[in-house]
Amino acid sequence: MDSIVNPIDVDLISAERRADYHRRALLTLWDRAIRHPSTCNQFPVKAKQPDLANIELAWGQVGFRDVFDQLKQLHSSAPSRASSARPGSDVVLRYASVGAPWTVIATYEETLYNACFDGKAYHLSGITSDDRVLALGGDGTYHADYGSIYALSRTGCTIIPVHDYRTVKDNIEILQGLGASAIVARPRGFHHLLCYLESNDLACSAIRRVIACGEPLSRQLRSRLAQQFGKDLSFGSLLHTVDHAALGFQCRYCRSSEYHIHEGLIYVELGARGSEAATELIISNLHRSRIPVIRLRTGDYAEWVDPDRPCPCGLSSRKIRVLGRVSNISERQAGNPTPRT
Protein backbone atom coordinates (compact mmCIF):
# COMPACT_ATOMS: atom_id res chain seq x y z
CA MET A 1 0.00 0.00 0.00
CA ASP A 2 0.98 3.64 -0.38
CA SER A 3 2.12 5.50 2.73
CA ILE A 4 -1.15 7.48 2.59
CA VAL A 5 -4.06 5.06 2.49
CA ASN A 6 -7.79 5.22 2.02
CA PRO A 7 -9.15 5.07 5.59
CA ILE A 8 -11.11 1.88 4.91
CA ASP A 9 -8.43 -0.04 2.99
CA VAL A 10 -6.28 -0.96 5.98
CA ASP A 11 -9.34 -2.47 7.70
CA LEU A 12 -9.71 -5.06 4.96
CA ILE A 13 -6.18 -6.36 4.42
CA SER A 14 -4.46 -9.32 6.00
CA ALA A 15 -2.42 -9.05 9.19
CA GLU A 16 0.77 -9.78 7.19
CA ARG A 17 0.18 -6.92 4.74
CA ARG A 18 -0.74 -4.57 7.58
CA ALA A 19 2.47 -5.42 9.44
CA ASP A 20 4.47 -4.70 6.28
CA TYR A 21 2.65 -1.38 5.88
CA HIS A 22 3.49 -0.44 9.47
CA ARG A 23 7.17 -1.33 9.05
CA ARG A 24 7.45 0.88 5.97
CA ALA A 25 5.52 3.71 7.62
CA LEU A 26 7.75 3.54 10.72
CA LEU A 27 10.84 3.83 8.54
CA THR A 28 9.51 7.09 7.10
CA LEU A 29 8.48 8.28 10.55
CA TRP A 30 11.95 7.49 11.97
CA ASP A 31 13.62 9.58 9.28
CA ARG A 32 11.29 12.52 9.95
CA ALA A 33 11.22 12.37 13.76
CA ILE A 34 14.95 11.91 14.41
CA ARG A 35 15.54 15.34 12.83
CA HIS A 36 12.64 17.12 14.52
CA PRO A 37 13.30 19.22 17.67
CA SER A 38 10.21 17.94 19.50
CA THR A 39 11.05 14.22 19.09
CA CYS A 40 14.78 13.81 18.39
CA ASN A 41 15.63 13.41 22.09
CA GLN A 42 13.52 10.24 22.27
CA PHE A 43 15.91 8.33 20.04
CA PRO A 44 19.03 6.49 21.25
CA VAL A 45 22.30 8.43 21.10
CA LYS A 46 23.86 8.18 17.62
CA ALA A 47 20.87 6.18 16.41
CA LYS A 48 21.11 5.25 12.74
CA GLN A 49 18.28 4.77 10.29
CA PRO A 50 17.26 1.09 10.49
CA ASP A 51 16.14 -0.97 7.53
CA LEU A 52 12.91 -2.80 6.81
CA ALA A 53 14.13 -6.01 8.41
CA ASN A 54 15.01 -4.56 11.82
CA ILE A 55 12.71 -1.53 12.15
CA GLU A 56 10.54 -3.17 14.83
CA LEU A 57 13.60 -4.05 16.92
CA ALA A 58 14.99 -0.52 16.52
CA TRP A 59 11.62 1.03 17.32
CA GLY A 60 11.62 -0.76 20.66
CA GLN A 61 14.65 1.34 21.66
CA VAL A 62 12.89 4.67 21.09
CA GLY A 63 11.92 6.33 24.38
CA PHE A 64 8.37 6.82 25.62
CA ARG A 65 6.84 10.21 26.26
CA ASP A 66 4.22 11.01 28.87
CA VAL A 67 1.32 13.36 28.17
CA PHE A 68 2.85 16.08 30.38
CA ASP A 69 6.16 15.85 28.49
CA GLN A 70 4.38 15.88 25.15
CA LEU A 71 2.34 18.99 25.93
CA LYS A 72 5.38 20.83 27.28
CA GLN A 73 7.37 19.95 24.18
CA LEU A 74 4.56 20.93 21.82
CA HIS A 75 4.36 24.32 23.50
CA SER A 76 8.09 24.99 23.33
CA SER A 77 9.14 23.51 19.97
CA ALA A 78 8.86 25.19 16.60
CA PRO A 79 8.14 23.01 13.57
CA SER A 80 11.18 22.10 11.52
CA ARG A 81 11.09 22.92 7.82
CA ALA A 82 13.41 19.99 7.18
CA SER A 83 10.95 17.65 8.85
CA SER A 84 8.10 18.40 6.46
CA ALA A 85 7.23 15.25 4.54
CA ARG A 86 5.09 17.07 1.99
CA PRO A 87 4.05 20.66 1.25
CA GLY A 88 0.86 22.18 2.56
CA SER A 89 -0.57 25.12 4.46
CA ASP A 90 -0.02 24.94 8.21
CA VAL A 91 -2.99 24.75 10.57
CA VAL A 92 -2.09 26.11 14.01
CA LEU A 93 -4.46 24.82 16.67
CA ARG A 94 -4.38 26.64 20.00
CA TYR A 95 -5.64 24.76 23.04
CA ALA A 96 -6.59 26.50 26.27
CA SER A 97 -5.90 24.62 29.48
CA VAL A 98 -5.87 24.96 33.26
CA GLY A 99 -2.24 26.01 33.02
CA ALA A 100 -0.42 27.46 30.02
CA PRO A 101 -1.96 26.88 26.58
CA TRP A 102 -0.19 24.74 24.01
CA THR A 103 -0.07 24.56 20.24
CA VAL A 104 -0.57 21.69 17.83
CA ILE A 105 0.60 22.24 14.26
CA ALA A 106 -0.32 20.14 11.23
CA THR A 107 -0.68 20.78 7.54
CA TYR A 108 -4.15 21.47 6.22
CA GLU A 109 -3.99 18.24 4.25
CA GLU A 110 -2.97 16.23 7.33
CA THR A 111 -5.83 17.71 9.33
CA LEU A 112 -8.38 16.72 6.69
CA TYR A 113 -6.81 13.29 6.30
CA ASN A 114 -7.07 12.72 10.04
CA ALA A 115 -10.74 13.75 9.91
CA CYS A 116 -11.42 11.23 7.13
CA PHE A 117 -10.89 8.47 9.68
CA ASP A 118 -13.50 10.02 11.95
CA GLY A 119 -15.78 10.26 8.91
CA LYS A 120 -15.47 6.49 8.55
CA ALA A 121 -16.26 6.15 12.25
CA TYR A 122 -19.41 8.27 11.96
CA HIS A 123 -20.56 6.19 9.00
CA LEU A 124 -19.99 2.92 10.84
CA SER A 125 -21.81 4.36 13.86
CA GLY A 126 -24.93 4.62 11.72
CA ILE A 127 -24.95 8.27 10.61
CA THR A 128 -26.46 8.48 7.12
CA SER A 129 -27.43 11.16 4.60
CA ASP A 130 -30.95 11.12 6.06
CA ASP A 131 -29.74 12.36 9.46
CA ARG A 132 -29.74 15.87 10.85
CA VAL A 133 -26.84 15.90 13.28
CA LEU A 134 -26.50 18.39 16.12
CA ALA A 135 -22.74 18.81 16.61
CA LEU A 136 -22.10 20.26 20.08
CA GLY A 137 -18.80 22.14 20.15
CA GLY A 138 -16.88 23.95 22.85
CA ASP A 139 -16.65 27.68 23.47
CA GLY A 140 -13.92 28.40 20.92
CA THR A 141 -12.37 27.14 17.72
CA TYR A 142 -10.94 23.73 18.48
CA HIS A 143 -9.59 20.87 16.46
CA ALA A 144 -12.51 18.69 17.54
CA ASP A 145 -15.06 21.17 16.18
CA TYR A 146 -13.25 21.73 12.90
CA GLY A 147 -12.51 18.04 12.38
CA SER A 148 -15.98 16.85 13.41
CA ILE A 149 -17.74 19.05 10.89
CA TYR A 150 -15.50 17.91 8.05
CA ALA A 151 -15.75 14.27 9.20
CA LEU A 152 -19.55 14.45 9.44
CA SER A 153 -19.68 15.87 5.92
CA ARG A 154 -18.24 12.57 4.68
CA THR A 155 -21.50 10.82 5.60
CA GLY A 156 -23.67 13.23 3.59
CA CYS A 157 -25.75 14.17 6.64
CA THR A 158 -27.16 17.61 7.39
CA ILE A 159 -24.91 19.24 10.01
CA ILE A 160 -26.21 21.58 12.71
CA PRO A 161 -23.07 23.00 14.37
CA VAL A 162 -23.56 24.55 17.81
CA HIS A 163 -20.83 26.83 19.12
CA ASP A 164 -21.14 26.30 22.87
CA TYR A 165 -22.51 23.18 24.58
CA ARG A 166 -23.15 25.19 27.77
CA THR A 167 -25.93 27.36 26.28
CA VAL A 168 -28.31 24.48 26.86
CA LYS A 169 -31.69 26.20 26.57
CA ASP A 170 -30.80 27.65 23.17
CA ASN A 171 -29.39 24.30 22.07
CA ILE A 172 -32.64 22.52 22.95
CA GLU A 173 -34.59 25.03 20.87
CA ILE A 174 -32.24 24.48 17.93
CA LEU A 175 -32.44 20.70 18.35
CA GLN A 176 -36.24 20.71 18.33
CA GLY A 177 -36.75 23.50 15.81
CA LEU A 178 -34.46 21.98 13.17
CA GLY A 179 -35.57 18.40 13.77
CA ALA A 180 -32.23 16.88 14.76
CA SER A 181 -32.15 13.08 14.67
CA ALA A 182 -28.66 12.56 16.13
CA ILE A 183 -26.24 14.32 18.47
CA VAL A 184 -22.45 14.31 18.37
CA ALA A 185 -20.67 15.63 21.46
CA ARG A 186 -18.04 14.98 24.07
CA PRO A 187 -19.43 13.32 27.23
CA ARG A 188 -19.41 16.60 29.17
CA GLY A 189 -21.64 18.11 26.43
CA PHE A 190 -24.18 15.35 26.94
CA HIS A 191 -24.00 15.89 30.69
CA HIS A 192 -25.00 19.56 30.39
CA LEU A 193 -27.81 18.67 28.02
CA LEU A 194 -29.15 15.93 30.29
CA CYS A 195 -29.11 18.09 33.41
CA TYR A 196 -31.31 20.67 31.69
CA LEU A 197 -33.73 18.08 30.28
CA GLU A 198 -34.04 16.29 33.61
CA SER A 199 -34.52 19.44 35.69
CA ASN A 200 -37.22 20.71 33.31
CA ASP A 201 -38.89 17.33 32.79
CA LEU A 202 -38.33 17.45 29.01
CA ALA A 203 -37.78 14.65 26.50
CA CYS A 204 -36.52 14.54 22.90
CA SER A 205 -37.97 11.42 21.33
CA ALA A 206 -36.87 12.41 17.81
CA ILE A 207 -33.21 11.74 18.68
CA ARG A 208 -32.39 8.19 17.61
CA ARG A 209 -28.59 8.17 17.88
CA VAL A 210 -25.90 9.73 20.07
CA ILE A 211 -22.20 9.62 19.23
CA ALA A 212 -19.62 10.35 21.91
CA CYS A 213 -16.35 11.91 20.76
CA GLY A 214 -13.15 11.33 22.67
CA GLU A 215 -13.94 8.49 25.05
CA PRO A 216 -16.52 5.86 26.00
CA LEU A 217 -19.79 6.94 27.56
CA SER A 218 -20.13 5.71 31.12
CA ARG A 219 -22.87 3.20 31.89
CA GLN A 220 -24.63 5.78 34.05
CA LEU A 221 -24.60 8.40 31.29
CA ARG A 222 -25.89 5.91 28.72
CA SER A 223 -28.77 5.03 31.05
CA ARG A 224 -29.69 8.68 31.56
CA LEU A 225 -29.58 9.34 27.81
CA ALA A 226 -31.87 6.38 27.13
CA GLN A 227 -34.38 7.70 29.67
CA GLN A 228 -34.52 11.11 27.96
CA PHE A 229 -34.33 10.06 24.31
CA GLY A 230 -36.12 6.70 24.39
CA LYS A 231 -35.28 3.03 24.82
CA ASP A 232 -34.57 2.60 21.08
CA LEU A 233 -31.70 5.08 21.24
CA SER A 234 -28.48 3.72 19.73
CA PHE A 235 -24.96 4.65 20.82
CA GLY A 236 -21.65 5.13 19.10
CA SER A 237 -18.25 6.37 20.22
CA LEU A 238 -15.01 7.69 18.74
CA LEU A 239 -11.76 7.31 20.68
CA HIS A 240 -9.49 10.38 20.72
CA THR A 241 -6.69 11.96 22.69
CA VAL A 242 -6.43 15.70 23.27
CA ASP A 243 -3.47 16.40 20.99
CA HIS A 244 -3.91 13.58 18.50
CA ALA A 245 -7.65 13.25 17.73
CA ALA A 246 -8.71 10.09 15.87
CA LEU A 247 -7.51 6.83 17.45
CA GLY A 248 -10.33 4.32 17.15
CA PHE A 249 -13.88 3.59 16.06
CA GLN A 250 -16.68 1.19 16.84
CA CYS A 251 -18.47 -1.30 14.63
CA ARG A 252 -21.87 -2.73 15.59
CA TYR A 253 -20.19 -5.66 17.33
CA CYS A 254 -18.09 -3.50 19.65
CA ARG A 255 -19.13 -3.19 23.27
CA SER A 256 -19.21 0.25 24.89
CA SER A 257 -15.48 0.32 25.72
CA GLU A 258 -14.20 -1.59 22.67
CA TYR A 259 -12.70 0.05 19.60
CA HIS A 260 -11.15 -0.91 16.30
CA ILE A 261 -7.83 0.94 15.89
CA HIS A 262 -7.30 3.33 12.96
CA GLU A 263 -4.35 1.26 11.78
CA GLY A 264 -3.89 3.32 8.64
CA LEU A 265 -3.29 6.40 10.78
CA ILE A 266 -1.41 5.27 13.88
CA TYR A 267 0.90 2.53 15.11
CA VAL A 268 -0.31 1.08 18.41
CA GLU A 269 1.56 -0.66 21.21
CA LEU A 270 0.39 -1.84 24.61
CA GLY A 271 3.11 -1.39 27.21
CA ALA A 272 3.50 -1.86 30.94
CA ARG A 273 3.64 1.21 33.14
CA GLY A 274 5.82 0.74 36.19
CA SER A 275 4.59 -2.07 38.41
CA GLU A 276 1.02 -1.93 37.08
CA ALA A 277 -0.38 -5.23 35.84
CA ALA A 278 -2.58 -3.59 33.17
CA THR A 279 -1.05 -2.31 29.93
CA GLU A 280 -1.21 1.25 28.66
CA LEU A 281 -2.12 2.35 25.15
CA ILE A 282 0.93 3.82 23.39
CA ILE A 283 0.63 5.49 19.99
CA SER A 284 2.78 6.83 17.18
CA ASN A 285 1.19 8.89 14.40
CA LEU A 286 2.33 7.67 10.99
CA HIS A 287 1.62 10.78 8.92
CA ARG A 288 2.09 13.94 10.96
CA SER A 289 5.03 15.96 9.66
CA ARG A 290 5.01 19.28 11.55
CA ILE A 291 4.90 17.84 15.09
CA PRO A 292 5.28 14.06 15.09
CA VAL A 293 3.78 11.90 17.84
CA ILE A 294 6.29 9.22 18.85
CA ARG A 295 5.49 6.50 21.39
CA LEU A 296 3.14 8.71 23.36
CA ARG A 297 1.59 7.27 26.51
CA THR A 298 -2.10 8.11 26.14
CA GLY A 299 -3.17 7.63 29.74
CA ASP A 300 -5.56 4.79 28.78
CA TYR A 301 -5.29 1.34 30.29
CA ALA A 302 -6.21 -1.08 27.52
CA GLU A 303 -6.00 -4.68 26.35
CA TRP A 304 -6.32 -6.42 23.02
CA VAL A 305 -9.71 -7.93 22.15
CA ASP A 306 -9.43 -11.37 20.51
CA PRO A 307 -6.17 -10.49 18.70
CA ASP A 308 -6.03 -13.83 16.87
CA ARG A 309 -9.65 -13.87 15.72
CA PRO A 310 -11.26 -11.53 13.14
CA CYS A 311 -14.17 -9.35 14.19
CA PRO A 312 -17.62 -10.62 13.08
CA CYS A 313 -18.05 -7.33 11.18
CA GLY A 314 -15.45 -8.52 8.65
CA LEU A 315 -12.86 -5.79 9.30
CA SER A 316 -9.30 -6.95 9.95
CA SER A 317 -8.15 -3.95 12.03
CA ARG A 318 -7.34 -4.96 15.60
CA LYS A 319 -9.55 -4.06 18.54
CA ILE A 320 -8.72 -2.83 22.02
CA ARG A 321 -10.78 -2.66 25.18
CA VAL A 322 -10.32 0.56 27.19
CA LEU A 323 -10.17 -0.42 30.86
CA GLY A 324 -9.74 2.99 32.47
CA ARG A 325 -7.44 5.94 32.82
CA VAL A 326 -3.95 6.13 34.26
CA SER A 327 -4.99 9.65 35.23
CA ASN A 328 -7.36 12.33 33.99
CA ILE A 329 -4.51 14.53 32.75
CA SER A 330 -5.89 14.71 29.18
CA GLU A 331 -9.18 16.18 30.32
CA ARG A 332 -7.46 18.54 32.76
CA GLN A 333 -5.14 19.84 30.08
CA ALA A 334 -8.12 20.25 27.75
CA GLY A 335 -9.56 22.76 30.18
CA ASN A 336 -11.94 20.48 32.09
CA PRO A 337 -10.77 19.93 35.66
CA THR A 338 -13.66 17.56 36.42
CA PRO A 339 -12.56 13.91 36.74
CA ARG A 340 -14.11 11.42 34.34
CA THR A 341 -17.32 9.70 35.33
Side-chain angles (χ1 to χ4, degrees):
M1 289 188 299
D2 295 333
S3 60
I4 299 296
V5 300
N6 185 299
I8 199 67
D9 288 348
V10 78
D11 296 312
L12 299 172
I13 65 175
S14 66
E16 292 77 13
R17 287 185 62 206
R18 185 176 60 246
D20 181 65
Y21 164 71
H22 280 154
R23 284 193 293 268
R24 295 178 186 278
L26 287 176
L27 278 177
T28 303
L29 180 57
W30 182 291
D31 180 65
R32 183 165 63 244
I34 202 168
R35 295 181 290 113
H36 196 285
S38 71
T39 49
C40 61
N41 60 351
Q42 288 182 252
F43 289 80
V45 178
K46 299 181 179 179
K48 296 181 179 179
Q49 177 81 8
D51 56 34
L52 194 63
N54 66 5
I55 178 61
E56 289 176 330
L57 179 63
W59 196 254
Q61 302 174 35
V62 178
F64 295 108
R65 174 165 290 163
D66 288 319
V67 175
F68 268 129
D69 298 334
Q70 174 79 357
L71 298 180
K72 181 179 179 181
Q73 197 67 42
L74 289 179
H75 184 55
S76 62
S77 296
S80 168
R81 291 182 180 274
S83 72
S84 177
R86 52 191 177 277
S89 299
D90 284 349
V91 177
V92 181
L93 303 160
R94 192 72 164 170
Y95 286 80
S97 68
V98 176
W102 74 93
T103 301
V104 176
I105 303 174
T107 69
Y108 175 73
E109 291 77 11
E110 288 168 353
T111 304
L112 295 189
Y113 181 65
N114 197 95
C116 285
F117 286 85
D118 274 345
K120 174 183 69 176
Y122 287 129
H123 171 71
L124 292 174
S125 295
I127 300 295
T128 71
S129 58
D130 294 328
D131 280 307
R132 289 174 173 245
V133 182
L134 186 76
L136 288 176
D139 56 354
T141 303
Y142 292 100
H143 180 268
D145 301 334
Y146 173 79
S148 288
I149 291 174
Y150 179 78
L152 281 168
S153 74
R154 310 279 293 183
T155 70
C157 70
T158 298
I159 306 169
I160 309 171
V162 173
H163 181 63
D164 190 347
Y165 63 80
R166 294 172 300 185
T167 56
V168 184
K169 182 179 179 181
D170 293 341
N171 295 343
I172 295 293
E173 292 178 357
I174 293 170
L175 183 155
Q176 295 175 331
L178 297 182
S181 60
I183 305 175
V184 169
R186 288 188 171 270
R188 61 181 177 267
F190 286 118
H191 177 72
H192 281 254
L193 194 67
L194 280 171
C195 288
Y196 184 86
L197 291 171
E198 290 165 347
S199 62
N200 291 276
D201 196 24
L202 298 175
C204 296
S205 58
I207 299 298
R208 64 180 186 86
R209 193 178 312 279
V210 298
I211 311 295
C213 296
E215 60 185 285
L217 287 170
S218 68
R219 185 177 303 174
Q220 180 188 30
L221 196 54
R222 288 164 68 98
S223 176
R224 291 172 63 195
L225 285 164
Q227 288 177 12
Q228 296 300 318
F229 297 130
K231 63 180 181 180
D232 295 328
L233 183 70
S234 65
F235 297 92
S237 180
L238 283 62
L239 184 62
H240 293 160
T241 65
V242 172
D243 59 339
H244 182 275
L247 292 185
F249 64 97
Q250 293 184 323
C251 71
R252 60 192 180 97
Y253 293 97
C254 288
R255 297 180 179 179
S256 61
S257 60
E258 293 179 356
Y259 297 87
H260 284 275
I261 294 296
H262 287 304
E263 303 217 70
L265 183 66
I266 59 173
Y267 179 69
V268 167
E269 305 167 76
L270 294 183
R273 188 179 182 100
S275 59
E276 298 286 350
T279 51
E280 184 179 0
L281 181 64
I282 298 166
I283 61 169
S284 302
N285 187 289
L286 299 175
H287 305 295
R288 183 173 291 174
S289 61
R290 297 304 195 258
I291 301 180
V293 173
I294 308 296
R295 302 198 86 188
L296 175 65
R297 295 186 182 275
T298 64
D300 287 306
Y301 283 128
E303 63 184 8
W304 295 115
V305 177
D306 298 328
D308 300 321
R309 186 170 60 183
C311 181
C313 73
L315 299 180
S316 62
S317 52
R318 294 171 296 173
K319 291 199 298 185
I320 60 168
R321 182 180 296 109
V322 178
L323 303 175
R325 299 290 297 177
V326 173
S327 71
N328 52 13
I329 174 60
S330 294
E331 285 293 328
R332 288 181 181 277
Q333 290 292 335
N336 176 24
T338 305
R340 294 169 184 255
T341 58

